[in-house]
Amino acid sequence: MAFAHAGTATASKPGRAGMRIPYLLLLPGLLWLLLFFVLPLINLAETSTKTPIAGGETGAYEQTFRLQNYVDAFSENSAQFSRSFIYALLATVLALAISYPLAYAIAFKSGKYKNILLVLVIAPFFTSFLLRTIAWKQILGEEGPVISILRTFHLIGADTSITATALAVITGMTYNFLPFMTLPIYASLERIDPRLMEASGDLYANGLTTFRRVTFPLSMPGVVAGTLLTFIPAAGDYVNAQILGNPTTKMIGNVIDSRFFRIVDYPTAAALSFTLMAAILILITVYIRRAGTDELI
Amino acid sequence: MTRWLSKNLIRIYAALAFIYLFIPVAYTMAFSFNDSGKRNLIWQGFTFKNWLNPCGAPEVCTALGNSIKIGFLATLFSTILGTMIAFALGRYSFRGRNTTNLLIFLPMATPEIVLGASLLAMFLNLGINPGFWTTVIAHVMFCISFVVVTVKARIASLDPKLEEAARDLYATEWQTFRRVTLPLVAPGIAAAALLAFSLSFDDFIITNFNSGTVNTFPKFVWVSSARGVPAQANVIGSAMFLIALAIVISAQIYSSAKARRLQKKH
């Protein structure tokens, strides 16, 4: 949400003694990030080219700078990789389709109920997301209401189910990341000067043209922030695939998790993590360039 | 009829979206009243007994207690560290500004599984056993960025004239900060702290990597989900929902009442 606001800052003119103040303010926090974010990533890079020690016990690796690890990791798991990106993309598009009208309604059509509706968008967050995902499993499950309603009206056959399908996984992801999409879009719609929309109307633009030429372009920073905040966690997610999916809906997150914990194959887990992170960062960079908003960073 | 429909189409759409948002919450709440025994999967009948005995399922309250402790510590540290960074970025120009911004942005652009796995790999390399404090460290790490962007947004939205006025009235730099800037930024800091707590409390992926044998509430739910989550977990989830909603709504009422009072005075 705050993504959309960040960017502009009023810098003041520090005196001689003031020169040190910003660095003192930055020091503890940046040190923390250096120690527990940057260093682990460097360590991960180092782990990713290790190979098992011949004759050693499980989980013992030595550094051999084997870049082939990356090729192996990717080629063995390319299906899960592409699935992660396709599911994340679908969930992002669906979340955008649900969130944009919702954010628009809250920003422009809700009158005095605006604040209450905003609270309601965040409110589901207060119930553990695992509990809500498990609730979806039961709602979409064999004994749940959705299946029985669809079957009563003969919309699906008796042997069709939703639970443990790709559809359920994507539904769950769309659901879980929806507020991340809605809030930034709302924030950027809210900041639009209503006079701009009035002006468009005065110049004989109809409602649709006003939206297409004025409102939507002005809300782009929110759309960009929202799609990123949805896509990034969705691409690395494995909880929805685990709870709502089946073995054929496994995503890259599931593979990293099991490589790490069940197979203790740290180098492959590290290589996969790096590939995932690199892929996401490249996509983000291209996307931000395309969308033309540098306001985010 | 059609005119009414087309005029209110977007409101109907929004109402449907809200129903979608709340279906699983309603489901979770309903099943907190289920007279279910161990497996809380099928509706058996209405009861208050889960609410009267929220710690009835083994481990659930230990896990909840850990989550609250970790959430509190992570919120405290990340709010302090993040607010300091936000002030540096929002109030000063200095060399290395872009690098700092990048370093703040990157953890938010990194999937949780990468954050969790890389940190655990480092702890294991260093021979540190994951547990309570490694979880706190991990939570502070991923909360800092969210605190920075939230507080920085608040600082950027301040009217610089208010601080100029304080200086014109011969306030020292410290007085200006203490009496003008800080109270104005405080709502942003409070929002950031609330955000940090909810991120920490609800985190599963990074916690699962870095907590070793220490149980947290999301871990408890995850482990028990294989054989059916006990109704006590639904009670705790529902209670958290109601408490958080009450806090947010009373904060809203308080701030709008305050705004009205101020308007009356002038």
Side-chain angles (χ1 to χ4, degrees):
Chain A
M1 60 218 86
F3 252 123
H5 291 299
T8 47
T10 41
S12 66
K13 14 61 214 154
R16 215 166 230 284
M19 292 289 276
R20 254 178 286 131
I21 293 179
Y23 295 107
L24 291 175
L25 287 170
L26 290 172
L27 189 68
L30 291 191
L31 204 61
W32 198 287
L33 289 180
L34 219 55
L35 283 177
F36 303 118
F37 171 66
V38 178
L39 271 190
L41 284 180
I42 295 170
N43 177 57
L44 194 72
E46 202 239 342
T47 310
S48 69
T49 53
K50 284 184 173 177
T51 45
I53 297 170
E57 49 188 311
T58 21
Y61 295 94
E62 61 184 347
Q63 183 57 271
T64 53
F65 299 103
R66 187 171 180 273
L67 288 171
Q68 186 70 21
N69 277 356
Y70 279 86
V71 182
D72 292 350
F74 187 76
S75 58
E76 279 167 31
N77 301 293
S78 56
Q80 286 86 340
F81 252 112
S82 49
R83 204 177 285 135
S84 289
F85 283 96
I86 292 167
Y87 285 6
L89 187 69
L90 287 172
T92 307
V93 171
L94 282 172
L96 181 63
I98 296 170
S99 293
Y100 201 100
L102 178 63
Y104 190 92
I106 297 174
F108 299 125
K109 307 276 177 188
S110 60
K112 60 177 176 173
Y113 299 111
K114 192 184 271 183
N115 283 337
I116 294 174
L117 292 179
L118 266 184
V119 171
L120 288 182
V121 172
I122 320 168
F125 260 149
F126 301 146
T127 316
S128 156
F129 93 104
L130 285 176
L131 283 174
R132 283 179 286 129
T133 310
I134 290 165
W136 273 121
K137 183 184 180 182
Q138 278 158 256
I139 294 163
L140 299 172
E142 283 304 303
E143 275 123 16
V146 174
I147 285 282
S148 50
I149 290 170
L150 290 175
R151 283 203 184 129
T152 316
F153 292 101
H154 297 287
L155 291 169
I156 55 168
D159 50 352
T160 317
S161 58
I162 311 175
T163 171
T165 60
L167 181 68
V169 178
I170 294 166
T171 308
M173 295 205 309
T174 308
Y175 176 81
N176 272 320
F177 305 119
L178 204 60
F180 288 124
M181 182 70 91
T182 312
L183 292 176
I185 296 177
Y186 166 80
S188 63
L189 284 172
E190 160 88 319
R191 275 190 296 171
I192 297 176
D193 188 339
R195 279 174 298 184
L196 292 172
M197 292 184 275
E198 283 163 28
S200 164
D202 291 346
L203 296 166
Y204 302 106
N206 62 22
L208 196 66
T209 313
T210 302
F211 177 75
R212 206 165 51 84
R213 304 292 290 272
V214 180
T215 320
F216 187 73
L218 286 171
S219 68
M220 266 315 272
V223 173
V224 172
T227 44
L228 289 180
L229 284 175
T230 309
F231 184 84
I232 297 165
D237 180 69
Y238 64 93
V239 171
N240 288 289
Q242 184 78 35
I243 294 179
L244 298 167
N246 64 50
T248 68
T249 60
K250 279 215 160 73
M251 296 169 64
I252 201 64
N254 301 80
V255 181
I256 298 176
D257 182 59
S258 76
R259 287 281 165 174
F260 212 102
F261 284 123
R262 258 165 266 166
I263 313 174
V264 245
D265 180 1
Y266 301 133
T268 307
L272 288 172
S273 302
F274 249 98
T275 316
L276 175 66
M277 192 178 165
I280 287 178
L281 284 179
I282 290 168
L283 280 175
I284 292 177
T285 317
V286 172
Y287 180 63
I288 293 180
R289 286 267 162 79
R290 269 291 174 90
T293 41
D294 291 332
E295 217 186 317
L296 285 159
I297 311 175
Chain B
M1 178 66 196
T2 12
R3 263 187 67 199
W4 179 87
L5 201 67
S6 70
K7 216 179 134 213
N8 287 293
L9 192 63
I10 193 151
R11 288 195 179 90
I12 296 165
Y13 195 97
L16 289 174
F18 273 118
I19 292 172
Y20 175 63
L21 272 172
F22 277 92
I23 285 174
V25 179
Y27 201 90
T28 305
M29 284 191 138
F31 273 71
S32 72
F33 293 105
N34 190 13
D35 193 0
S36 63
K38 279 228 165 89
R39 279 165 51 85
N40 191 14
L41 288 170
I42 300 156
W43 185 255
Q44 309 276 4
F46 185 88
T47 178
F48 275 118
K49 78 170 191 234
N50 306 317
W51 279 85
L52 293 174
N53 187 17
C55 293
E59 272 287 294
V60 66
C61 279
T62 326
L64 177 67
N66 285 337
S67 278
I68 293 173
K69 273 184 243 163
I70 292 166
F72 178 76
L73 290 167
T75 305
L76 184 72
F77 291 131
S78 64
T79 307
I80 293 172
L81 298 179
T83 303
M84 285 165 68
I85 296 177
F87 268 104
L89 287 170
R91 275 288 179 265
Y92 296 92
S93 57
F94 55 90
R95 290 181 57 164
R97 205 193 155 76
N98 290 336
T99 319
T100 308
N101 274 325
L102 188 69
L103 194 55
I104 299 300
F105 174 74
L106 273 179
M108 293 191 288
T110 309
E112 276 195 58
I113 189 153
V114 178
L115 295 176
S118 64
L119 195 54
L120 175 60
M122 187 180 81
F123 284 140
L124 292 177
N125 260 5
L126 295 173
I128 299 170
N129 273 332
F132 183 86
W133 287 103
T134 51
T135 315
V136 174
I137 285 173
H139 284 204
V140 174
M141 180 269 291
F142 75 76
C143 287
I144 285 180
S145 302
F146 288 94
V147 173
V148 173
V149 290
T150 312
V151 177
K152 201 171 87 172
R154 179 78 193 179
I155 293 174
S157 73
L158 290 189
D159 186 349
K161 273 179 254 163
L162 292 169
E163 285 166 310
E164 278 162 29
R167 264 174 249 129
D168 289 347
L169 295 166
Y170 301 106
T172 62
E173 205 160 320
W174 170 248
Q175 282 170 325
T176 310
F177 175 77
R178 179 72 195 71
R179 307 293 291 270
V180 180
T181 318
L182 198 59
L184 287 170
V185 181
I189 299 175
L194 200 65
L195 179 67
F197 186 83
S198 55
L199 286 173
S200 162
F201 187 84
D202 208 18
D203 179 74
F204 169 69
I205 296 180
I206 295 175
T207 310
N208 196 34
F209 273 94
N210 289 291
S211 57
T213 54
V214 172
N215 210 355
T216 65
F217 185 63
K219 264 177 91 177
F220 172 83
V221 174
W222 175 262
V223 170
S224 54
S225 72
R227 47 199 159 73
V229 181
Q232 276 80 5
N234 292 42
V235 171
I236 290 169
S238 310
M240 288 296 297
F241 174 80
L242 295 173
I243 293 169
L245 205 60
I247 292 175
V248 173
I249 288 176
S250 41
Q252 288 258 355
I253 292 171
Y254 173 77
S255 69
S256 65
K258 198 173 161 191
R260 224 172 296 135
R261 258 205 323 276
L262 282 174
Q263 251 169 11
K264 253 185 219 159
K265 267 189 200 163
H266 300 297

